[in-house]
Amino acid sequence: MASSNADDLPGTGAVDLNGLRILLVEDSWHLGMAMQRLLRVCGADVVGPAATTADAERLISEHAPDVALIDVNLRGGELAYGMIDRLHDRGIRVVVISGYADVPLAQGKAAAILQKPVSEAQLLASLRPMTADKVAR
């Protein structure tokens, strides 16, 4: 994730995430910061990155997100399945990002499941439906 201009991303066109509040839960500092920069360039209001579910829960209480980007395996071997369930139950759309090929989630718990390494185009494409939903509200 090196590009800093959404218009330069192949296959994405101009991606407009204006008004979309995104919670970013990722324990890899470099990946989290790269995703944060990309999403902000596209106009999103990004909260995080948070490296643990406790950090993420604190951010959620301060800034209710429209969507959450969540790595399943967090700092210290912590798994994010409980947080994914809680966000889903609150009506917050979840995009799961994982290094695992198989992520055991009940159908409908995640709007998308992306496998690392995630391209900028894949990440932005997973968020497009949420942007349309936000505009429709």
Side-chain angles (χ1 to χ4, degrees):
M1 293 202 172
S3 180
S4 60
N5 185 342
D7 294 333
D8 296 339
L9 300 174
T12 63
V15 178
D16 182 4
L17 300 179
N18 285 330
L20 196 64
R21 179 168 287 180
I22 300 173
L23 169 67
L24 179 56
V25 184
E26 170 60 58
D27 64 330
S28 166
W29 185 84
H30 293 292
L31 183 55
M33 294 309 294
M35 285 193 288
Q36 180 193 67
R37 278 191 301 275
L38 171 67
L39 297 169
R40 285 186 174 162
V41 163
C42 294
D45 178 10
V46 182
V47 180
T52 66
T53 58
D55 289 343
E57 295 288 352
R58 182 181 49 77
L59 292 173
I60 292 166
S61 71
E62 296 170 3
H63 311 279
D66 300 307
V67 63
L69 294 173
I70 301 180
D71 182 6
V72 171
N73 192 8
L74 298 173
R75 185 169 292 156
E78 180 182 22
L79 298 176
Y81 294 111
M83 183 173 55
I84 292 167
D85 289 342
R86 288 189 297 280
L87 289 168
H88 178 265
D89 292 347
R90 289 178 57 186
I92 297 169
R93 309 259 323 250
V94 175
V95 174
V96 173
I97 301 170
S98 177
Y100 301 112
D102 185 31
V103 178
L105 278 177
Q107 188 162 351
K109 290 283 183 173
I113 299 174
L114 305 176
Q115 187 174 358
K116 290 180 181 179
V118 176
S119 73
E120 292 173 338
Q122 287 174 312
L123 180 63
L124 295 173
S126 74
L127 294 171
R128 272 201 189 96
M130 286 90 171
T131 306
D133 291 349
K134 178 104 174 140
V135 171
R137 279 189 237 152

